[in-house]
Amino acid sequence: MCVVSDHLQHTTVVVHRFQQDVLQYMKQLWPWLKKIFYFSDGAASQYKNYKNFTNLVYRKDDFGLNAEWHFFATSHGKNACDGVGGTIKREAARASLHAVTTGHILTPMQLYDLGCQHIKNVKFFYIAKEEIISHEVEQNKRFKDAKSMSGTRNHHCYIPSSDKSLVVMRISGDDTSFVAKLFNTQHTPHAQAEPSPSTVTLLQCQPGKYIAFIYDGKWWIGNILEISEGDIRVTAMHPHAPAVFSMASQRRHLLGSTAGHNLSCQSSHDNKWKTV
């Protein structure tokens, strides 16, 4: 598939407007389609930014489809769509070179007509600039309540959750994930109250689990390395809270059971936090 337009900017709004026609066509071809897996490069202008992430959490509302967005590592994003683009540009250049006084490809509409008439097995769409400008007005109403996220450069998998937040992973299929909030609490649609943590014993914290703890007056997230005689040795993740993302480091802390540390324990395989 190929989308042609006389709008000369490649922004998040343009991508979303293109997706409207593309996904509608795909649903006509495959009525049983339920979920879309996006794979793209990490271009900040149209893909890896808070506007695109905001549209991602609204994917079910906009198109009736669940979705995930995965980003290729730098310089590893070449795939079939690049071949389609190269073929179209090559055929357009050839048609212009063959033309003598008329028939040159000078406008987006002429490129669209060429593709529809002479390039088989590629579905073409044409979206006018006016449609995109009108769509941008509606999109900006959505974006005004959203906020940007830090640390997106180092993470490559984004999965929407039911409360309009994102489950973020460093790589696709990672065992460890973070929940990123795109909206302030008062703007989050259908926000659900967090369940109250249940009290557990120190013995229920095991190596390999994650804990949130107070150290030097600041909240940190860490991975339990070992537990010995009531003490917990952890690898802290930086930076300390509040932060959208934290990354593992080599800095280690020893948490004493009698030192009054405030701990919350989480298994690496679930999302249930328990206070210790």
Side-chain angles (χ1 to χ4, degrees), residues 218-234:
K218 298 181 177 64
W219 276 101
W220 302 81
I221 296 175
N223 184 259
I224 299 175
L225 297 177
E226 61 178 342
I227 301 176
S228 176
E229 298 181 355
D231 292 331
I232 304 176
R233 189 177 299 277
V234 301

Side-chain angles (χ1 to χ4, degrees), residues 41-82:
D41 57 33
S45 58
Q46 64 263 23
Y47 300 133
K48 225 174 193 183
N49 58 61
Y50 80 96
K51 293 181 178 180
N52 190 48
F53 294 144
T54 301
N55 283 334
L56 181 60
V57 300
Y58 279 100
R59 196 67 38 160
K60 182 72 173 180
D61 299 334
D62 291 343
F63 307 122
L65 297 169
N66 294 314
E68 297 181 10
W69 204 297
H70 301 259
F71 292 96
F72 291 114
T74 302
S75 301
H76 287 74
K78 291 294 183 182
N79 54 57
C81 65
D82 296 285

Side-chain angles (χ1 to χ4, degrees), residues 26 68 91 98 173 178 185 247 260:
M26 292 175 65
E68 297 181 10
E91 292 301 318
H98 287 177
F178 304 88
T185 303
M247 296 297 296

